[in-house]
Amino acid sequence: ATPSEEKDLVIIGGGVAGYVAAIKAGQEGLKACQKRGALGGTCLNVGCIPSKSLLNNSHLYHQILHDTKNRGIDVGDVKLNLENMMKAKETSVNGLTKGIEFLFKKNNVEYIKGTAAFADEHTVAVNLVDGGETSVRGKNIIIATGSEATPFPGLTIDEEKVITSTGAIALKKVPKKMVVIGGGIIGLEMGSVWSRLGAEVTVVEFLGQIGGPGMDAEVSKNIQKTLGKQGMKFMLNTKVLKGDDSAEIVKLDVEAAKGGKQQTLEADVVLVAIGRRPYTSGLGLDNIGLETDNKGRLVIDSEYRTKLPHIRVIGDCTFGPMLAHKAEEEGVAVIEFLTKNYGHVNYNAIPSVMYTHPEVAWVGQNEAELKEAGVKYKSGSFPFSANSRAKTNQDADGFVKFLADAETDRILGVHIVGPNAGEMIAEGTLALEYGASTEDIGRTSHAHPTLAEAFKEAAMATYGKAIHY
Ligand code: FAD
Ligand code: NAI
C-alpha cells in the first residue's frame, strides 16, 4: 500500500471476524485491507479447526480400541501414530487458511501481513512480517484483534509442561498425567483428546458444575457422568491455590472452594483453561484515546461503533460470547451498517457446541437463567436411549430438552447432550429465529430412522406426550 492512499476500510486482524468482514466489504465494493501473518486467526490456526481434527481422530482411535467387538468387528494391533495425527491436523488447517487467501483475491481485498498499531485516528502503522514498515489510512477502521488465553498467576506458560489450548493441540507425546485447570469448553474438549489417547486426565473446576458459562445444569451432570465413564476424573468446587512448575513434575496445591482440605496434585502437563480475554495489547489505543472495560473489552454501541464513530469493533475483543460463528455474524453486520446503515445479529440465537463425545449443544436460555429472570416455563425431554437410530448405532447416551414459555409455548431454549448434538442444534436455532413453538416442531415430519426424531419427540413432550417414551 502507498502510505498516502486512503482506503474505504482498514481491518485490523485476520481472524474469523476480520476476514469475514473483509470478504463482505469486497462484495459490497469497499476497498478493504487486512493485517498480520496467517489468516483465519485463533479459530483456524490454533482453535476450532485443529482441535476438531484431534477430537475427531482421537475419537476414532478410542472407538477402534474399545468399541468394535460388540459391533462384530475384530481388529488387530491398534497403534497410535501421534506424529501423523498431528500432520492430518496441519493438512486441514493449511488447506483452510489458504482458502481464505483465495477468497481475498476473489473479492479484491488487499492483504498486508504485519502487526498494526494506531498512529492517529485514521492512520495505522504496520510492522511488516517480512521486515520493514508501512502505514495505511482508513476512512473507516474495524478492530478485530481477537482474544488470548487467560494465564494462571504463578504458573509460567511454556506450551510444553504448562500449556494453554495452543500447546494442547501440539503436544509431542501423550502425557502420563494431565491436570486441567478449568472445566469449561477448552478443558473438556482438549482433556477428552488426551484422555482418549491414553493420558490420565483430572479436571479441577472452581464451580459446582462443568461446561463453563451457559451450559444447563442437567446437561452438565449428564455429560460429566459420561466423560467419567470414559476415564476423565473431576474435582468440582475446588480451587487451585498455587502451582510450582520449577521441576519436571508440576505441583498444584488445591483446596475445596469453600475452604477445607488441601492436597497437592502432580502432573507432567498442566493445561490452563480458565477462560480467554480480549487481546488489544500493542494496538496503540492510548494514541487515539480508546478505552477498554474492566474485562479488557473495547466498548461499543449497538452498531459496533466506538466513541470514534469511524472505528468499529467486532469479535472476541468486544462484548458477547467468544465464538467463531458470533464473530462471523458480526463481520457481516458491521459491513451492512457501514454500507446500508442497517445490520442485525440476534444474540439470543447464537448456538454453543462442545465437541466432546457425545457432543453438547444449546441455544437460548437454560433453566437457571429462566428461573432467575422469573419467566414461567415448561420443559420436555426425550432420551436418545428411546431413539431407534441412536440405539442401532449403539451410541445412545444423552437427551434433548426443550424449554418453552408456559403460556404461549414459544421456544425459549433447547439443550442437547447426545450424538451429533452440534448438527441438531441448527434446527433449534432456526426455531428460535422464527419464534417457533414446541408444537410447530412436534407437528413437523422428521425422517425415520434419524436422531432428529429425538428432537421432535422432546418438543412433543413439552406440549403433550412423546410417542416413544
Ligand atoms: P481471532 O480469531 O483471535 O483473530 C484475531 C486476529 O487478529 C489474529 O489473527 C491475530 O493475530 C490478529 N491480531 C491481533 N492483534 C493484531 C495487530 N495489532 N495487528 C494485526 N493483527 C492483529 N469457537 C467456535 O465457535 N467453535 C469452536 O469449535 C471453537 N473452538 C475453539 C478452540 C480453541 C482451542 C480456542 C482457543 C478457541 C475456539 N473457539 C471456537 C473460539 C474462536 O476461535 C474465537 O471465537 C474466534 O477465533 C474469534 O474470532 P476473532 O476474529 O474475533 O479473533
Ligand atoms: P470457559 O469460560 O468456557 O471455562 C472456564 C472454566 O474455568 C469455567 O468453568 C470456570 O469456572 C473455570 N475456572 C476459572 N478460574 C478457575 C480457577 N482459578 N480454578 C479452577 N477453575 C476455574 O473458558 P475456556 O474453556 O478457557 O474457553 C474459553 C473460550 O473459548 C470459551 O468460553 C469459548 O468462548 C471459546 N471456545 C469455544 C469452543 C467451542 O465453541 N466448541 C471450544 C473452545 C473454546
Side-chain angles (χ1 to χ4, degrees), residues 328-462:
E328 177 174 0
E329 292 304 311
E330 291 183 344
V332 171
V334 74
I335 300 302
E336 289 180 336
F337 274 119
L338 262 174
T339 53
K340 303 189 179 102
N341 274 325
Y342 68 81
H344 180 69
V345 178
N346 180 358
Y347 288 94
N348 191 40
I350 309 252
S352 293
V353 181
M354 180 168 89
Y355 298 83
T356 46
H357 192 87
E359 292 177 350
V360 175
W362 69 94
V363 66
Q365 289 159 297
N366 64 32
E367 289 209 48
E369 287 162 352
L370 290 175
K371 276 185 190 138
E372 202 185 311
V375 177
K376 288 210 172 70
Y377 67 93
K378 53 185 179 171
S379 81
S381 300
F382 190 83
F384 282 102
S385 57
N387 171 271
S388 57
R389 187 66 185 278
K391 275 194 93 73
T392 315
N393 289 352
Q394 295 171 243
D395 193 5
D397 282 327
F399 58 88
V400 181
K401 174 162 96 174
F402 275 83
L403 302 172
D405 188 285
E407 238 169 72
T408 65
D409 191 31
R410 188 186 176 119
I411 297 167
L412 301 172
V414 182
H415 301 269
I416 310 169
V417 50
N420 277 345
E423 301 293 337
M424 193 179 282
I425 203 62
E427 188 179 355
T429 309
L430 197 64
L432 227 68
E433 278 284 2
Y434 277 46
S437 64
T438 62
E439 195 172 343
D440 288 329
I441 305 282
R443 293 189 184 278
T444 303
S445 172
H446 286 64
H448 176 75
T450 60
L451 299 170
E453 286 174 290
F455 191 83
K456 172 191 163 93
E457 294 234 38
M460 291 173 87
T462 316

Side-chain angles (χ1 to χ4, degrees), residues 12-19 35-49 51-52 114-117 144-148 165-166 169 185-186 189-190 276 279-283 314-317 321-327 351 353 355:
I12 306 175
V16 179
Y19 91 70
K35 307 268 153 5
R36 207 162 185 179
L39 291 172
T42 305
C43 181
L44 264 77
N45 293 286
V46 289
C48 327
I49 300 302
S51 62
K52 263 85 258 180
T115 305
T145 49
S147 61
E148 62 177 353
S165 53
T166 301
I169 56 162
I185 305 250
I186 290 183
E189 285 189 355
M190 295 321 300
R276 293 178 62 81
Y279 179 75
T280 54
S281 66
L283 200 53
I314 53 172
D316 278 11
C317 59
M322 290 186 174
L323 295 172
H325 43 282
K326 175 264 194 188
V353 181
Y355 298 83

Side-chain angles (χ1 to χ4, degrees), residues 152 179-192 201-216 219-221 223-224 227 232-240 270-276 354-356 360 362:
F152 188 86
V179 172
V180 180
I181 310 181
I185 305 250
I186 290 183
L188 300 181
E189 285 189 355
M190 295 321 300
S192 281
V201 176
T202 304
V203 177
V204 183
E205 166 58 51
F206 186 76
L207 299 176
Q209 73 169 63
I210 58 166
M215 192 180 286
D216 186 82
V219 167
S220 170
K221 257 199 204 115
I223 187 69
Q224 187 187 333
L227 293 177
M232 282 170 79
K233 294 199 176 73
F234 296 96
M235 297 177 75
L236 301 189
N237 297 305
T238 304
K239 187 161 75 178
V240 177
V270 170
L271 167 60
V272 178
I274 57 170
R276 293 178 62 81
M354 180 168 89
Y355 298 83
T356 46
V360 175
W362 69 94

